[in-house]
Amino acid sequence: MRQRSLIAITAALAAGALTLTACGSRDSGDKGSDSNGGGTTVVIGVDAPLTGDLSALGLGIRNSVDLAAKQANKKNYVKGVTFKIEAADDQAQPSSGQSNATKFVGEKDVLGVVGPLNSSVAQSMQKVFDDAKLVEVSPANTNPALTQGDDWQKSKTRAYKSYFRTATTDAIQGPFAAQYVYNKAKKKKAFIIDDKKTYGAGLAGTFSDEFKKLGGKIVGTEHINPDTKDFSAVATKVKNSGAQVVYYGGEYPQAGPLSKQIKAAGAKIPLVGGDGIYADDFIKLAGASGTGDLATSVGAPVETLPSAKEFVANYKAGGYKEAYAAYGGYSYDSAWSIIEAVKKVVDDNGGKLPDDARAKVTEAMQNVSFDGVTGKVSFDEYGDATNKQLTVYSVTGGAWKAVESGTYNGS
C-alpha cells in the first residue's frame, strides 16, 4: 500500500477540554424541555454510561442531547412536534446496551437514538435497531467495522443502514497518531498495549500498522485486563524493551494508572492514546508523571470553533451539573441530525408523521446535511461522518492542551 500522509495540519490556538466531572444524579429522561405546544411527541433515546468509570463522558453526551431537544422546541423547529429525550444507562456493558436497544425499540414514540459511547456496546445494539428500522447516531464510536464490516481493510461492506456516526474512525485516528509520534515527536521505537476490547484493540492495530509503514519499530506488545489496576509486570516489560513511546489502545480508567506505573518502573517515556483517554480524569489518575502524555481526539477543540460558540453559551445557561466533555458537540450534532431527519419526513408528509416514521427517518438520515457545532455534518455511503478532523493533545501544566489539529489523508 502506498505511503499515507498528514495534510492540512495547523497549530491549534487554544486549550482543550473543560474539566470533566463524574458527579451528579442519574437522569432517566428529559427534565422540563421547552415545549412548542405541538400535538405530537417525538422521543430521542440516549444510550451511554451514566454511572461507573466512564460516566464523565456519558453524562456529557446525555446533557448535550437534552440541550438539542430543548433548542429545537424553543425554536419550534419542527412544527407540531415536541422533542423529548429518554436516557438509558449502559454502564459501558454490551449486554446492557442490547437491553436498552430492545427497550427503545418497544417504545413507539422513539424515532432515533444517540449513542453509545463504546464500540463494543454498539456491536450489541446495531442489529436490534436495524431490524426495527430505528436510526442510531453515535457521537463517539470509532471502530471501522461498525460501518464498513469486519473485513473493512480489504473490502468495505455496510451491514446496517440504520447506523450512523458523527465521529471519525480509528482507520483515520490511529494512523493520524502514528504520523504525529513518528514525524513530529521523533519517536522511532514503540511498545503497544491494548485492553483486548473492540475499541482498544482496533485502535492499537491501526496505529501499529501505520507506525511500521513509516519506518518505526514495535519493540513489544501486551494486552491488559481492564478489570485490574496493577500493571507493574507490563511496566517492567516496557522499561526493559527500550521503547521511546507507549501506545495504549483503551480508555482512561486504565490508561491513567498504566502511565503512572510505567514511569515509576523507570521508563520516563510518554504514553499516547486515542479519544478514550482524552479526559481530565486521565490526568488525575496519571498524576504529575503524566505530563507529556498525548491523546488524539475527534474534531477540533470545541472552544476554538466559531460554530460552537452558541452551543457553549447555551450549555452553560442550561445549568447542567456535568461538563459536556469530549463528545458534547458531537452529541448535540447527532441529536440535531435526528431532528433534521424528522423535519424532512414531517415536511414531506404534509406536516405530520407518517405511519412508517421510523423507516422514513432512517432513510432521510442518509441525506442529512447541515452546519453543526463541530462543523459540516453529513454522512457518506457507509454512514460515516464526512468530517475527518482530528486533534493531538498533550498533558501540560495539569491540563490537556491542543498541540496540532488537522485532517488525515488516508486511502
Side-chain angles (χ1 to χ4, degrees), residues 64-411:
S64 300
V65 176
D66 181 67
L67 180 62
K70 287 178 177 176
Q71 289 297 308
N73 292 338
K74 184 178 180 180
K75 296 175 181 179
N76 193 20
Y77 194 71
V78 184
K79 290 180 173 55
V81 171
T82 297
F83 291 96
K84 292 186 177 180
I85 77 159
E86 181 179 328
D89 182 9
D90 64 29
Q91 300 175 313
Q93 297 297 321
S95 58
S96 296
Q98 189 172 65
S99 296
N100 292 343
T102 300
K103 177 174 173 287
F104 285 136
V105 165
E107 298 178 16
K108 62 181 179 61
D109 290 341
V110 177
L111 294 189
V113 177
V114 175
L117 170 70
N118 305 88
S119 292
S120 56
V121 176
Q123 286 179 317
S124 74
M125 303 174 81
Q126 285 180 303
K127 188 176 189 303
V128 177
F129 286 137
D130 205 62
D131 286 348
K133 295 181 171 59
L134 179 58
V135 75
E136 170 189 15
V137 188
S138 173
N141 296 161
T142 54
N143 188 277
L146 295 171
T147 47
Q148 300 172 17
D150 291 335
D151 200 30
W152 61 271
Q153 289 172 306
K154 296 179 182 177
S155 177
K156 297 178 182 179
T157 304
R158 185 177 186 180
Y160 302 107
K161 291 186 177 180
S162 65
Y163 179 86
F164 297 81
R165 53 179 153 200
T166 53
T168 196
T169 76
D170 295 334
I172 296 169
Q173 184 175 197
F176 182 85
Q179 289 276 352
Y180 182 86
V181 168
Y182 187 88
N183 291 328
K184 302 289 179 140
K186 305 297 183 184
K187 307 295 185 184
K188 312 302 181 186
K189 296 179 181 179
F191 196 105
I192 311 297
I193 305 171
D194 70 62
D195 62 2
K196 297 185 285 189
K197 294 198 288 187
T198 301
Y199 164 75
L203 185 58
T206 59
F207 174 91
S208 296
D209 289 346
E210 183 71 7
F211 193 73
K212 287 186 287 188
K213 287 177 191 173
L214 292 167
K217 184 178 180 182
I218 306 299
V219 295
T221 60
E222 270 295 337
H223 308 289
I224 64 159
N225 178 356
D227 295 326
T228 186
K229 292 294 189 290
D230 181 4
F231 306 118
S232 55
V234 175
T236 299
K237 288 182 180 180
V238 170
K239 167 136 186 343
N240 294 336
S241 71
Q244 298 172 316
V245 64
V246 171
Y247 189 84
Y248 176 65
E251 294 152 335
Y252 66 83
Q254 295 76 37
L258 178 62
S259 172
K260 190 173 187 177
Q261 291 174 44
I262 286 171
K263 272 78 164 183
K268 309 297 185 184
I269 59 177
L271 180 141
V272 183
D275 55 316
I277 80 166
Y278 176 55
D280 281 4
D281 282 17
F282 168 84
I283 299 174
K284 295 174 188 175
L285 293 166
S289 62
T291 297
D293 286 349
L294 300 166
T296 54
S297 191
V298 294
V302 168
E303 295 82 3
T304 71
L305 296 171
S307 58
K309 286 182 179 178
E310 184 180 359
F311 165 74
V312 173
N314 288 338
Y315 193 94
K316 184 176 180 180
Y320 297 106
K321 288 181 284 187
E322 304 86 15
Y324 54 77
Y327 303 105
Y330 287 89
S331 302
Y332 187 97
D333 284 349
S334 294
W336 203 264
S337 68
I338 293 171
I339 292 165
E340 289 283 2
V342 170
K343 185 177 189 303
K344 168 70 172 168
V345 170
V346 168
D347 288 349
D348 287 352
N349 194 52
K352 62 180 192 243
L353 286 171
D355 292 337
D356 60 344
R358 282 183 175 174
K360 286 289 197 296
V361 168
T362 296
E363 183 181 338
M365 184 65 68
Q366 188 62 55
N367 296 315
V368 160
S369 180
F370 62 96
D371 293 323
V373 171
T374 59
K376 187 73 172 179
V377 177
S378 60
F379 306 100
D380 66 15
E381 67 268 36
Y382 302 103
D384 283 328
T386 56
N387 183 350
K388 310 297 185 185
Q389 185 86 2
L390 287 157
T391 299
V392 178
Y393 297 88
S394 173
V395 178
T396 307
W400 289 111
K401 304 291 183 184
V403 295
E404 195 155 286
S405 185
T407 55
Y408 182 80
N409 183 19
S411 59

